[in-house]
Amino acid sequence: MIVDGLLLTAAGEVDSQVARLLIYEVPPSQVLTRLQNHGQACVWCGERGRLEPLGGTLGWEPAGCSRCGPLRLRYVRAYLMWARHAVQCTACVGAHCTAGEPFAFQHRVAYEGTGRRRPVICACGCAVGLESPLLRPCTAGIVTLRYSHAGACRAPERGRA
């Protein structure tokens, strides 16, 4: 289901739409090796074993290994479930929502399961810890696995001394 350009999936569903979001998890091609850029090594760990293509275009053919791919899919699913809640919950728009806490927790566990650590960068450019009640999935526009604030950004205005 798509709501305001946001792909929403059922719990545990792995379909081509969810898998296609993995491309947003691939590091920039400039930091990958030649083997990683050409689908001959995992883009996340560099393993050269069994690989699954992640998409790509014009000779850029990133792939993920059988260990990293499922961890990233778990993260994407958890993000989408949290985003589904955020889109459908009126309380999530402007403030912290206690009903969304289980989704945020599952997301945090899945995020850290990929080997990455906090904080994350919001769409506004500020760093926010995953445990922050002010953090939510960015539901504006198309899903790119980004984050935003619940309500207005509370960081100091940029450019002010």
Side-chain angles (χ1 to χ4, degrees):
M1 162 182 16
I2 297 179
V3 177
D4 294 330
L6 179 67
L7 170 70
L8 302 177
T9 63
E13 181 180 0
V14 179
D15 61 15
S16 62
Q17 296 294 326
V18 174
R20 282 192 348 217
L21 289 176
L22 284 179
I23 201 71
Y24 293 108
E25 285 291 287
V26 175
S29 63
Q30 299 87 342
V31 301
L32 298 175
T33 67
R34 184 184 65 74
L35 293 175
Q36 289 172 313
N37 274 313
H38 295 290
Q40 298 169 355
C42 177
V43 294
W44 297 297
C45 73
E47 180 182 310
R48 296 183 67 188
R50 185 177 161 162
L51 302 170
E52 292 291 326
L54 299 172
T57 59
L58 303 173
W60 182 59
E61 301 168 350
C65 72
S66 58
R67 185 181 67 79
C68 295
L71 293 173
R72 298 291 171 149
L73 276 173
R74 180 176 174 222
Y75 158 68
V76 170
R77 271 192 244 111
Y79 178 93
L80 290 173
M81 292 305 296
W82 188 22
R84 176 185 205 141
H85 171 79
V87 166
Q88 296 174 342
C89 176
T90 56
C92 278
V93 174
H96 174 67
C97 166
T98 56
E101 288 176 358
F103 299 106
F105 176 76
Q106 288 300 320
H107 165 267
R108 186 168 66 237
V109 168
Y111 182 92
E112 291 176 349
T114 66
R116 293 180 296 177
R117 295 292 176 247
R118 312 170 251 198
V120 296
I121 306 300
C122 280
C124 68
C126 68
V128 178
L130 286 175
E131 67 285 343
S132 172
L134 301 176
L135 187 70
R136 62 175 259 154
C138 185
T139 57
I142 194 164
V143 172
T144 57
L145 306 173
R146 296 184 330 151
Y147 303 90
S148 64
H149 296 279
C153 175
R154 297 189 180 139
E157 289 185 39
R158 299 196 188 288
R160 284 196 164 180

